[in-house]
Amino acid sequence: LRAANTTQSSTITVYIDNQALLKALKFPRAKSGQWLVDGIVASAKEVPGKMKLAWISGHTDVKGNEAADEEAKKAASGSSSQRTDLPAILRGILPISASAERQVYHAELMQIWKSRWDSSPRAARFKQVDPEFTFAKFRKVSFCLNRAQSSLLVQVRTGHIPLNAHLHRINKSPSNKCPNCRERRGGERAVETVEHFIYECRAYRQLRREFYNRIKSNNPSMEQLTTSLKMAKPLLKFIAQTKRFKQYNDGLLERNLPESED
């Protein structure tokens, strides 16, 4: 803009590869960084003649644009022109960005949360539900389910579920064996674990085939089944159809399953 004061042309065109800036200049509104946009407009009004702003594609080997990018990189790395060469609005202390402050504060809170969570005795156990901190995958699924459905998914992942393997461990069942499986030839009946119930029990072979057809997979991991809504829905339907957990059946009925997909 300073160089524009020395030109003899009545119309000056400034090419910009930032569409967001062009929109902000054309449709100004109160938001973070608006003071800088207002400063650009004020400086432009001091230029004699007309000024046009036009968009130019970035990273297309336009000589002037590439040179501007290099200068921008220098500024971003901390380099600066002499104070007297800067526009008046940039010579003082720059205002603090409320948006940037919120982002920094949020990042600090997340770090504190993660540190406290990692030192919690519950952390190791909950990694079975969703190994990634903040548990975004599981939360995304659970927000689309009712209370009975999300509760059962947690029980499936942790193994704390009313199947005989768990019930026997807490002295609520006289046996840990599967009630639907006969004794194996030369051995005992299978222990009724979550894995046995979902992947192995012969009593649910037909339901399991239908379940695998719905999710288009014959070997889904437990994590996949409980952190993907596309798999969690068929899993809940499969569990409801087995009628193994009568206390959950009303909450697991197909009409109560969400229609939304991932």
Side-chain angles (χ1 to χ4, degrees), residues 44-168:
K45 289 181 179 179
E46 298 176 1
V47 176
K50 294 182 179 180
M51 176 176 288
K52 293 173 59 178
L53 301 178
W55 178 77
I56 186 173
S57 175
H59 308 292
T60 52
D61 297 327
V62 177
K63 187 175 181 180
N65 191 52
E66 293 298 320
D69 283 344
E70 287 300 319
E71 294 301 317
K73 290 177 182 177
K74 292 179 183 178
S77 64
S79 179
S80 176
S81 302
Q82 293 294 325
R83 186 172 180 274
T84 54
D85 292 335
L86 294 173
I89 60 171
L90 299 179
R91 293 176 186 174
I93 299 175
L94 300 182
I96 297 174
S97 168
S99 176
E101 283 293 294
R102 282 194 295 269
Q103 291 179 21
V104 171
Y105 180 64
H106 179 71
E108 291 176 350
L109 285 181
M110 290 296 291
Q111 189 58 43
I112 293 172
W113 178 23
K114 186 177 187 306
S115 177
R116 291 180 177 177
W117 175 255
D118 288 343
S119 61
S120 167
R122 296 182 179 87
R125 294 197 295 269
F126 203 81
K127 283 182 179 179
Q128 300 176 66
V129 178
D130 189 345
E132 296 183 10
F133 179 71
T134 71
F135 325 115
K137 290 181 180 178
F138 181 77
R139 285 190 291 125
K140 181 180 179 181
V141 172
S142 63
F143 286 161
C144 298
L145 304 176
N146 63 35
R147 184 173 181 177
Q149 293 158 359
S150 58
S151 173
L152 191 58
L153 281 187
V154 172
Q155 293 179 58
V156 166
R157 280 304 298 273
T158 60
H160 290 205
I161 188 171
L163 293 171
N164 281 344
H166 175 62
L167 295 177
H168 181 68

